[in-house]
Amino acid sequence: MPMAEPHSPGAAGPADGSPLPAIPAHARVVVVGAGQAGLSVAHHLAHGGLAPGQDLVVLDRSPAAGGAWQFRWESLRLGTAHRVNDLPGMRELGLSFETADQGRAARDVVGEYYAEYERHFGLAVFRPVAVTSVREAARGAPRSGSLRIDYLRGVGDDATRGTVIADVLVNATGTWGAPIRPYIPGIETFRGRQLSTPEYRSAAEFRGQRVIVVGGGTSAVGFVLELEGIAASTTWVTRRPVAFASDEPGEASASIEGRLAAVAQQNDAARAGRVLPSIISGTGLPATARNLGAARRGVLVARPPFTSIEPGGVRFADGSFEPADVIIWATGFRSELGHLDTLGLREPGGGVAATEGRAVRNPRVFLAGYGPQASTIGANRAGRLVALQVLEALS
Ligand code: FAD
């Protein structure tokens, strides 16, 4: 099938300069975020009879289709450590991430496929539109119990404010905009460059530099491997000892049990409204030939955490000092929920309690892609689960 222009601007930004379509002032459901989770929910809701662009309004802050994938670094490929599940109904378009060109940048493939998906199913995503707050609508709104969703449309000085009143909100804002950077004594004194995963572009930026990569997940591993032979030195630091887990029969139990346990922990935390734990600590890292080879070469060998940061490098608990020009923090993400603070959903533990994707403190608010759903397969499941509950709530 013919492939549409990469990174189509979607409903909110016609390339020919024609006026932007108006965002309805009232809707039954507003979905915030058009990544895997938001698109999956929107697809099921449209299938359930809601008219996209009218009953169902999808608002996305990103400039183009692709959710967070559009911002990932160029060298990230589908099919290496990364596996992106197809969106529900995607095969109807003759598209599948499984058969996509694995040699192309994941950000381009995912951006193009999502754009095609939005067009095919007429999901009418408005972008770039950033939701700034959600609150209970004042009395006199169309129906009591409505939600008022305030947004900023466009970027920079041209951005305009607007409001949609809706019966139900589905929040699918992912985590990309909320990287975690732990506080280590002396962090503010470091003279070199510090960056988090979303700011990483390519290894070439760090040619000849001494780099510390912090984090035990797939992103940190990817950075360490890419920097080999380019950076002057790379030191990999993880909070816990690293386990490479295999999915091969006979060796599977540790990784599958770990994965299930990690998902269960996230589920428990989401139900209780605690801050969500790291998923990678339970899953281990994939025992691919590339990872095992790098471990044997001494490249992928983790050091325990450093205890302080000094202007010229980092100091470990045993007193040793590692000089550094750069610290890359690949230390995970939080759910991006700041725009919901006006709804008072947080528990004393700091998290938002949700059961099956429904906020405990407000049954008209749903969270898709939250906690254990924060993967492309989890987001797909969330899509169906949340959409069913939303349709029930509306009826
Ligand atoms: P996102 O893709 O982040 O989409 C959220 C959307 O919401 C974005 O477009 C954003 O602009 C928008 N948004 C945010 N805030 C607002 C707001 N206030 N107003 C309006 N819009 C807003 N998972 C896998 O299954 N396989 C992988 O290979 C994989 N690789 C990964 C690699 C990295 C480096 C990272 C960080 C994660 C990876 N994941 C992977 C997990 C990933 O989070 C999921 O794959 C999935 O893409 C998340 O989808 P999402 O829809 O929840 O969020």
Side-chain angles (χ1 to χ4, degrees), residues 35-38 40-41 44 87-88 368-370 372-384:
Q36 187 96 5
S40 174
V41 177
H44 287 293
L87 280 160
Y370 181 63
Q373 304 169 342
S375 67
T376 50
I377 190 158
N380 282 356
R381 288 201 192 108
R384 189 182 303 108

mmCIF file with all atom_site columns, all heavy atoms in Angstrom, residues 35-38 40-41 44 87-88 368-370 372-384:
data_model
loop_
_atom_site.group_PDB
_atom_site.id
_atom_site.type_symbol
_atom_site.label_atom_id
_atom_site.label_alt_id
_atom_site.label_comp_id
_atom_site.label_asym_id
_atom_site.label_entity_id
_atom_site.label_seq_id
_atom_site.pdbx_PDB_ins_code
_atom_site.Cartn_x
_atom_site.Cartn_y
_atom_site.Cartn_z
_atom_site.occupancy
_atom_site.B_iso_or_equiv
_atom_site.pdbx_formal_charge
_atom_site.auth_seq_id
_atom_site.auth_comp_id
_atom_site.auth_asym_id
_atom_site.auth_atom_id
_atom_site.pdbx_PDB_model_num
ATOM 1   N N   . GLY A 1 35  ? 0.276   8.296  21.611 1.00 0.00 ? 35  GLY A N   1
ATOM 2   C CA  . GLY A 1 35  ? 1.276   7.248  21.447 1.00 0.00 ? 35  GLY A CA  1
ATOM 3   C C   . GLY A 1 35  ? 0.529   5.915  21.303 1.00 0.00 ? 35  GLY A C   1
ATOM 4   O O   . GLY A 1 35  ? -0.675  5.895  20.997 1.00 0.00 ? 35  GLY A O   1
ATOM 5   N N   . GLN A 1 36  ? 1.225   4.835  21.569 1.00 0.00 ? 36  GLN A N   1
ATOM 6   C CA  . GLN A 1 36  ? 0.604   3.509  21.418 1.00 0.00 ? 36  GLN A CA  1
ATOM 7   C C   . GLN A 1 36  ? -0.663  3.390  22.275 1.00 0.00 ? 36  GLN A C   1
ATOM 8   O O   . GLN A 1 36  ? -1.678  2.870  21.825 1.00 0.00 ? 36  GLN A O   1
ATOM 9   C CB  . GLN A 1 36  ? 1.616   2.433  21.838 1.00 0.00 ? 36  GLN A CB  1
ATOM 10  C CG  . GLN A 1 36  ? 1.172   1.017  21.564 1.00 0.00 ? 36  GLN A CG  1
ATOM 11  C CD  . GLN A 1 36  ? 1.706   0.450  20.262 1.00 0.00 ? 36  GLN A CD  1
ATOM 12  O OE1 . GLN A 1 36  ? 2.503   1.089  19.578 1.00 0.00 ? 36  GLN A OE1 1
ATOM 13  N NE2 . GLN A 1 36  ? 1.278   -0.754 19.902 1.00 0.00 ? 36  GLN A NE2 1
ATOM 14  N N   . ALA A 1 37  ? -0.596  3.912  23.505 1.00 0.00 ? 37  ALA A N   1
ATOM 15  C CA  . ALA A 1 37  ? -1.735  3.764  24.417 1.00 0.00 ? 37  ALA A CA  1
ATOM 16  C C   . ALA A 1 37  ? -2.923  4.617  23.955 1.00 0.00 ? 37  ALA A C   1
ATOM 17  O O   . ALA A 1 37  ? -4.055  4.124  23.852 1.00 0.00 ? 37  ALA A O   1
ATOM 18  C CB  . ALA A 1 37  ? -1.324  4.156  25.832 1.00 0.00 ? 37  ALA A CB  1
ATOM 19  N N   . GLY A 1 38  ? -2.682  5.879  23.650 1.00 0.00 ? 38  GLY A N   1
ATOM 20  C CA  . GLY A 1 38  ? -3.774  6.769  23.242 1.00 0.00 ? 38  GLY A CA  1
ATOM 21  C C   . GLY A 1 38  ? -4.418  6.310  21.947 1.00 0.00 ? 38  GLY A C   1
ATOM 22  O O   . GLY A 1 38  ? -5.646  6.311  21.812 1.00 0.00 ? 38  GLY A O   1
ATOM 23  N N   . SER A 1 40  ? -4.452  3.293  20.719 1.00 0.00 ? 40  SER A N   1
ATOM 24  C CA  . SER A 1 40  ? -5.160  2.036  20.943 1.00 0.00 ? 40  SER A CA  1
ATOM 25  C C   . SER A 1 40  ? -6.539  2.298  21.568 1.00 0.00 ? 40  SER A C   1
ATOM 26  O O   . SER A 1 40  ? -7.557  1.759  21.116 1.00 0.00 ? 40  SER A O   1
ATOM 27  C CB  . SER A 1 40  ? -4.291  1.139  21.838 1.00 0.00 ? 40  SER A CB  1
ATOM 28  O OG  . SER A 1 40  ? -4.979  0.002  22.188 1.00 0.00 ? 40  SER A OG  1
ATOM 29  N N   . VAL A 1 41  ? -6.583  3.156  22.575 1.00 0.00 ? 41  VAL A N   1
ATOM 30  C CA  . VAL A 1 41  ? -7.877  3.488  23.198 1.00 0.00 ? 41  VAL A CA  1
ATOM 31  C C   . VAL A 1 41  ? -8.791  4.147  22.158 1.00 0.00 ? 41  VAL A C   1
ATOM 32  O O   . VAL A 1 41  ? -9.964  3.789  22.018 1.00 0.00 ? 41  VAL A O   1
ATOM 33  C CB  . VAL A 1 41  ? -7.700  4.469  24.384 1.00 0.00 ? 41  VAL A CB  1
ATOM 34  C CG1 . VAL A 1 41  ? -9.047  4.850  24.968 1.00 0.00 ? 41  VAL A CG1 1
ATOM 35  C CG2 . VAL A 1 41  ? -6.839  3.865  25.472 1.00 0.00 ? 41  VAL A CG2 1
ATOM 36  N N   . HIS A 1 44  ? -10.373 1.709  19.725 1.00 0.00 ? 44  HIS A N   1
ATOM 37  C CA  . HIS A 1 44  ? -11.470 0.917  20.292 1.00 0.00 ? 44  HIS A CA  1
ATOM 38  C C   . HIS A 1 44  ? -12.707 1.788  20.541 1.00 0.00 ? 44  HIS A C   1
ATOM 39  O O   . HIS A 1 44  ? -13.831 1.327  20.365 1.00 0.00 ? 44  HIS A O   1
ATOM 40  C CB  . HIS A 1 44  ? -11.032 0.248  21.598 1.00 0.00 ? 44  HIS A CB  1
ATOM 41  C CG  . HIS A 1 44  ? -10.089 -0.902 21.372 1.00 0.00 ? 44  HIS A CG  1
ATOM 42  N ND1 . HIS A 1 44  ? -10.470 -2.067 20.748 1.00 0.00 ? 44  HIS A ND1 1
ATOM 43  C CD2 . HIS A 1 44  ? -8.788  -1.063 21.677 1.00 0.00 ? 44  HIS A CD2 1
ATOM 44  C CE1 . HIS A 1 44  ? -9.446  -2.901 20.678 1.00 0.00 ? 44  HIS A CE1 1
ATOM 45  N NE2 . HIS A 1 44  ? -8.403  -2.306 21.242 1.00 0.00 ? 44  HIS A NE2 1
ATOM 46  N N   . LEU A 1 87  ? -0.322  -2.049 16.547 1.00 0.00 ? 87  LEU A N   1
ATOM 47  C CA  . LEU A 1 87  ? -1.538  -1.464 17.128 1.00 0.00 ? 87  LEU A CA  1
ATOM 48  C C   . LEU A 1 87  ? -2.734  -2.334 16.742 1.00 0.00 ? 87  LEU A C   1
ATOM 49  O O   . LEU A 1 87  ? -2.711  -3.009 15.703 1.00 0.00 ? 87  LEU A O   1
ATOM 50  C CB  . LEU A 1 87  ? -1.734  -0.051 16.567 1.00 0.00 ? 87  LEU A CB  1
ATOM 51  C CG  . LEU A 1 87  ? -0.886  1.034  17.217 1.00 0.00 ? 87  LEU A CG  1
ATOM 52  C CD1 . LEU A 1 87  ? -0.779  2.250  16.309 1.00 0.00 ? 87  LEU A CD1 1
ATOM 53  C CD2 . LEU A 1 87  ? -1.482  1.424  18.566 1.00 0.00 ? 87  LEU A CD2 1
ATOM 54  N N   . PRO A 1 88  ? -3.805  -2.308 17.540 1.00 0.00 ? 88  PRO A N   1
ATOM 55  C CA  . PRO A 1 88  ? -4.968  -3.126 17.195 1.00 0.00 ? 88  PRO A CA  1
ATOM 56  C C   . PRO A 1 88  ? -5.518  -2.738 15.815 1.00 0.00 ? 88  PRO A C   1
ATOM 57  O O   . PRO A 1 88  ? -5.671  -1.562 15.526 1.00 0.00 ? 88  PRO A O   1
ATOM 58  C CB  . PRO A 1 88  ? -5.983  -2.803 18.307 1.00 0.00 ? 88  PRO A CB  1
ATOM 59  C CG  . PRO A 1 88  ? -5.485  -1.563 18.964 1.00 0.00 ? 88  PRO A CG  1
ATOM 60  C CD  . PRO A 1 88  ? -4.002  -1.542 18.780 1.00 0.00 ? 88  PRO A CD  1
ATOM 61  N N   . ALA A 1 368 ? -4.231  5.239  30.645 1.00 0.00 ? 368 ALA A N   1
ATOM 62  C CA  . ALA A 1 368 ? -3.843  4.166  29.716 1.00 0.00 ? 368 ALA A CA  1
ATOM 63  C C   . ALA A 1 368 ? -2.340  4.219  29.495 1.00 0.00 ? 368 ALA A C   1
ATOM 64  O O   . ALA A 1 368 ? -1.772  5.297  29.335 1.00 0.00 ? 368 ALA A O   1
ATOM 65  C CB  . ALA A 1 368 ? -4.579  4.334  28.398 1.00 0.00 ? 368 ALA A CB  1
ATOM 66  N N   . GLY A 1 369 ? -1.707  3.047  29.519 1.00 0.00 ? 369 GLY A N   1
ATOM 67  C CA  . GLY A 1 369 ? -0.255  3.008  29.364 1.00 0.00 ? 369 GLY A CA  1
ATOM 68  C C   . GLY A 1 369 ? 0.451   3.328  30.669 1.00 0.00 ? 369 GLY A C   1
ATOM 69  O O   . GLY A 1 369 ? 1.614   3.699  30.688 1.00 0.00 ? 369 GLY A O   1
ATOM 70  N N   . TYR A 1 370 ? -0.254  3.164  31.787 1.00 0.00 ? 370 TYR A N   1
ATOM 71  C CA  . TYR A 1 370 ? 0.257   3.557  33.102 1.00 0.00 ? 370 TYR A CA  1
ATOM 72  C C   . TYR A 1 370 ? 0.772   2.319  33.832 1.00 0.00 ? 370 TYR A C   1
ATOM 73  O O   . TYR A 1 370 ? 0.127   1.266  33.790 1.00 0.00 ? 370 TYR A O   1
ATOM 74  C CB  . TYR A 1 370 ? -0.902  4.192  33.871 1.00 0.00 ? 370 TYR A CB  1
ATOM 75  C CG  . TYR A 1 370 ? -0.575  4.694  35.259 1.00 0.00 ? 370 TYR A CG  1
ATOM 76  C CD1 . TYR A 1 370 ? 0.336   5.719  35.445 1.00 0.00 ? 370 TYR A CD1 1
ATOM 77  C CD2 . TYR A 1 370 ? -1.206  4.151  36.370 1.00 0.00 ? 370 TYR A CD2 1
ATOM 78  C CE1 . TYR A 1 370 ? 0.614   6.200  36.714 1.00 0.00 ? 370 TYR A CE1 1
ATOM 79  C CE2 . TYR A 1 370 ? -0.937  4.627  37.649 1.00 0.00 ? 370 TYR A CE2 1
ATOM 80  C CZ  . TYR A 1 370 ? -0.022  5.650  37.809 1.00 0.00 ? 370 TYR A CZ  1
ATOM 81  O OH  . TYR A 1 370 ? 0.248   6.121  39.058 1.00 0.00 ? 370 TYR A OH  1
ATOM 82  N N   . PRO A 1 372 ? 2.135   -0.985 34.807 1.00 0.00 ? 372 PRO A N   1
ATOM 83  C CA  . PRO A 1 372 ? 2.473   -2.209 34.084 1.00 0.00 ? 372 PRO A CA  1
ATOM 84  C C   . PRO A 1 372 ? 2.065   -2.164 32.613 1.00 0.00 ? 372 PRO A C   1
ATOM 85  O O   . PRO A 1 372 ? 2.458   -3.029 31.838 1.00 0.00 ? 372 PRO A O   1
ATOM 86  C CB  . PRO A 1 372 ? 1.688   -3.291 34.835 1.00 0.00 ? 372 PRO A CB  1
ATOM 87  C CG  . PRO A 1 372 ? 0.649   -2.574 35.609 1.00 0.00 ? 372 PRO A CG  1
ATOM 88  C CD  . PRO A 1 372 ? 1.192   -1.205 35.891 1.00 0.00 ? 372 PRO A CD  1
ATOM 89  N N   . GLN A 1 373 ? 1.301   -1.161 32.227 1.00 0.00 ? 373 GLN A N   1
ATOM 90  C CA  . GLN A 1 373 ? 0.881   -1.062 30.813 1.00 0.00 ? 373 GLN A CA  1
ATOM 91  C C   . GLN A 1 373 ? 1.905   -0.288 29.971 1.00 0.00 ? 373 GLN A C   1
ATOM 92  O O   . GLN A 1 373 ? 1.669   -0.063 28.788 1.00 0.00 ? 373 GLN A O   1
ATOM 93  C CB  . GLN A 1 373 ? -0.458  -0.333 30.709 1.00 0.00 ? 373 GLN A CB  1
ATOM 94  C CG  . GLN A 1 373 ? -1.571  -0.958 31.525 1.00 0.00 ? 373 GLN A CG  1
ATOM 95  C CD  . GLN A 1 373 ? -2.791  -0.043 31.606 1.00 0.00 ? 373 GLN A CD  1
ATOM 96  O OE1 . GLN A 1 373 ? -2.696  1.151  31.358 1.00 0.00 ? 373 GLN A OE1 1
ATOM 97  N NE2 . GLN A 1 373 ? -3.928  -0.620 31.956 1.00 0.00 ? 373 GLN A NE2 1
ATOM 98  N N   . ALA A 1 374 ? 3.030   0.119  30.576 1.00 0.00 ? 374 ALA A N   1
ATOM 99  C CA  . ALA A 1 374 ? 3.969   0.989  29.867 1.00 0.00 ? 374 ALA A CA  1
ATOM 100 C C   . ALA A 1 374 ? 4.892   0.228  28.925 1.00 0.00 ? 374 ALA A C   1
ATOM 101 O O   . ALA A 1 374 ? 6.106   0.263  29.045 1.00 0.00 ? 374 ALA A O   1
ATOM 102 C CB  . ALA A 1 374 ? 4.770   1.816  30.861 1.00 0.00 ? 374 ALA A CB  1
ATOM 103 N N   . SER A 1 375 ? 4.302   -0.501 28.013 1.00 0.00 ? 375 SER A N   1
ATOM 104 C CA  . SER A 1 375 ? 5.054   -1.102 26.910 1.00 0.00 ? 375 SER A CA  1
ATOM 105 C C   . SER A 1 375 ? 4.074   -1.118 25.756 1.00 0.00 ? 375 SER A C   1
ATOM 106 O O   . SER A 1 375 ? 2.882   -0.849 25.953 1.00 0.00 ? 375 SER A O   1
ATOM 107 C CB  . SER A 1 375 ? 5.477   -2.530 27.255 1.00 0.00 ? 375 SER A CB  1
ATOM 108 O OG  . SER A 1 375 ? 4.316   -3.337 27.339 1.00 0.00 ? 375 SER A OG  1
ATOM 109 N N   . THR A 1 376 ? 4.541   -1.445 24.570 1.00 0.00 ? 376 THR A N   1
ATOM 110 C CA  . THR A 1 376 ? 3.587   -1.388 23.453 1.00 0.00 ? 376 THR A CA  1
ATOM 111 C C   . THR A 1 376 ? 2.522   -2.476 23.580 1.00 0.00 ? 376 THR A C   1
ATOM 112 O O   . THR A 1 376 ? 1.367   -2.262 23.234 1.00 0.00 ? 376 THR A O   1
ATOM 113 C CB  . THR A 1 376 ? 4.308   -1.467 22.097 1.00 0.00 ? 376 THR A CB  1
ATOM 114 O OG1 . THR A 1 376 ? 5.208   -2.573 22.118 1.00 0.00 ? 376 THR A OG1 1
ATOM 115 C CG2 . THR A 1 376 ? 5.052   -0.189 21.806 1.00 0.00 ? 376 THR A CG2 1
ATOM 116 N N   . ILE A 1 377 ? 2.887   -3.623 24.143 1.00 0.00 ? 377 ILE A N   1
ATOM 117 C CA  . ILE A 1 377 ? 1.866   -4.669 24.310 1.00 0.00 ? 377 ILE A CA  1
ATOM 118 C C   . ILE A 1 377 ? 0.925   -4.301 25.454 1.00 0.00 ? 377 ILE A C   1
ATOM 119 O O   . ILE A 1 377 ? -0.295  -4.467 25.361 1.00 0.00 ? 377 ILE A O   1
ATOM 120 C CB  . ILE A 1 377 ? 2.505   -6.074 24.492 1.00 0.00 ? 377 ILE A CB  1
ATOM 121 C CG1 . ILE A 1 377 ? 1.420   -7.143 24.408 1.00 0.00 ? 377 ILE A CG1 1
ATOM 122 C CG2 . ILE A 1 377 ? 3.254   -6.223 25.793 1.00 0.00 ? 377 ILE A CG2 1
ATOM 123 C CD1 . ILE A 1 377 ? 1.954   -8.507 24.058 1.00 0.00 ? 377 ILE A CD1 1
ATOM 124 N N   . GLY A 1 378 ? 1.500   -3.736 26.519 1.00 0.00 ? 378 GLY A N   1
ATOM 125 C CA  . GLY A 1 378 ? 0.670   -3.291 27.648 1.00 0.00 ? 378 GLY A CA  1
ATOM 126 C C   . GLY A 1 378 ? -0.276  -2.187 27.219 1.00 0.00 ? 378 GLY A C   1
ATOM 127 O O   . GLY A 1 378 ? -1.444  -2.152 27.614 1.00 0.00 ? 378 GLY A O   1
ATOM 128 N N   . ALA A 1 379 ? 0.218   -1.283 26.379 1.00 0.00 ? 379 ALA A N   1
ATOM 129 C CA  . ALA A 1 379 ? -0.609  -0.175 25.895 1.00 0.00 ? 379 ALA A CA  1
ATOM 130 C C   . ALA A 1 379 ? -1.764  -0.710 25.048 1.00 0.00 ? 379 ALA A C   1
ATOM 131 O O   . ALA A 1 379 ? -2.875  -0.196 25.099 1.00 0.00 ? 379 ALA A O   1
ATOM 132 C CB  . ALA A 1 379 ? 0.246   0.801  25.096 1.00 0.00 ? 379 ALA A CB  1
ATOM 133 N N   . ASN A 1 380 ? -1.500  -1.745 24.261 1.00 0.00 ? 380 ASN A N   1
ATOM 134 C CA  . ASN A 1 380 ? -2.576  -2.345 23.457 1.00 0.00 ? 380 ASN A CA  1
ATOM 135 C C   . ASN A 1 380 ? -3.657  -2.928 24.355 1.00 0.00 ? 380 ASN A C   1
ATOM 136 O O   . ASN A 1 380 ? -4.846  -2.739 24.132 1.00 0.00 ? 380 ASN A O   1
ATOM 137 C CB  . ASN A 1 380 ? -2.026  -3.487 22.594 1.00 0.00 ? 380 ASN A CB  1
ATOM 138 C CG  . ASN A 1 380 ? -1.292  -2.970 21.385 1.00 0.00 ? 380 ASN A CG  1
ATOM 139 O OD1 . ASN A 1 380 ? -1.248  -1.773 21.154 1.00 0.00 ? 380 ASN A OD1 1
ATOM 140 N ND2 . ASN A 1 380 ? -0.723  -3.867 20.605 1.00 0.00 ? 380 ASN A ND2 1
ATOM 141 N N   . ARG A 1 381 ? -3.215  -3.654 25.374 1.00 0.00 ? 381 ARG A N   1
ATOM 142 C CA  . ARG A 1 381 ? -4.190  -4.252 26.307 1.00 0.00 ? 381 ARG A CA  1
ATOM 143 C C   . ARG A 1 381 ? -4.984  -3.150 26.994 1.00 0.00 ? 381 ARG A C   1
ATOM 144 O O   . ARG A 1 381 ? -6.194  -3.242 27.150 1.00 0.00 ? 381 ARG A O   1
ATOM 145 C CB  . ARG A 1 381 ? -3.464  -5.093 27.359 1.00 0.00 ? 381 ARG A CB  1
ATOM 146 C CG  . ARG A 1 381 ? -2.911  -6.356 26.779 1.00 0.00 ? 381 ARG A CG  1
ATOM 147 C CD  . ARG A 1 381 ? -2.672  -7.393 27.883 1.00 0.00 ? 381 ARG A CD  1
ATOM 148 N NE  . ARG A 1 381 ? -1.879  -8.471 27.330 1.00 0.00 ? 381 ARG A NE  1
ATOM 149 C CZ  . ARG A 1 381 ? -0.607  -8.702 27.618 1.00 0.00 ? 381 ARG A CZ  1
ATOM 150 N NH1 . ARG A 1 381 ? 0.010   -7.965 28.520 1.00 0.00 ? 381 ARG A NH1 1
ATOM 151 N NH2 . ARG A 1 381 ? 0.051   -9.682 27.044 1.00 0.00 ? 381 ARG A NH2 1
ATOM 152 N N   . ALA A 1 382 ? -4.251  -2.103 27.410 1.00 0.00 ? 382 ALA A N   1
ATOM 153 C CA  . ALA A 1 382 ? -4.912  -0.979 28.087 1.00 0.00 ? 382 ALA A CA  1
ATOM 154 C C   . ALA A 1 382 ? -5.975  -0.386 27.184 1.00 0.00 ? 382 ALA A C   1
ATOM 155 O O   . ALA A 1 382 ? -7.041  0.019  27.641 1.00 0.00 ? 382 ALA A O   1
ATOM 156 C CB  . ALA A 1 382 ? -3.888  0.089  28.440 1.00 0.00 ? 382 ALA A CB  1
ATOM 157 N N   . GLY A 1 383 ? -5.690  -0.346 25.891 1.00 0.00 ? 383 GLY A N   1
ATOM 158 C CA  . GLY A 1 383 ? -6.634  0.235  24.934 1.00 0.00 ? 383 GLY A CA  1
ATOM 159 C C   . GLY A 1 383 ? -7.991  -0.431 25.027 1.00 0.00 ? 383 GLY A C   1
ATOM 160 O O   . GLY A 1 383 ? -9.021  0.237  25.169 1.00 0.00 ? 383 GLY A O   1
ATOM 161 N N   . ARG A 1 384 ? -7.988  -1.747 24.985 1.00 0.00 ? 384 ARG A N   1
ATOM 162 C CA  . ARG A 1 384 ? -9.267  -2.466 25.000 1.00 0.00 ? 384 ARG A CA  1
ATOM 163 C C   . ARG A 1 384 ? -9.938  -2.328 26.365 1.00 0.00 ? 384 ARG A C   1
ATOM 164 O O   . ARG A 1 384 ? -11.116 -2.017 26.479 1.00 0.00 ? 384 ARG A O   1
ATOM 165 C CB  . ARG A 1 384 ? -9.045  -3.938 24.654 1.00 0.00 ? 384 ARG A CB  1
ATOM 166 C CG  . ARG A 1 384 ? -10.368 -4.666 24.435 1.00 0.00 ? 384 ARG A CG  1
ATOM 167 C CD  . ARG A 1 384 ? -10.243 -6.148 24.142 1.00 0.00 ? 384 ARG A CD  1
ATOM 168 N NE  . ARG A 1 384 ? -9.417  -6.443 22.993 1.00 0.00 ? 384 ARG A NE  1
ATOM 169 C CZ  . ARG A 1 384 ? -8.199  -6.975 23.063 1.00 0.00 ? 384 ARG A CZ  1
ATOM 170 N NH1 . ARG A 1 384 ? -7.664  -7.253 24.231 1.00 0.00 ? 384 ARG A NH1 1
ATOM 171 N NH2 . ARG A 1 384 ? -7.512  -7.234 21.986 1.00 0.00 ? 384 ARG A NH2 1
#
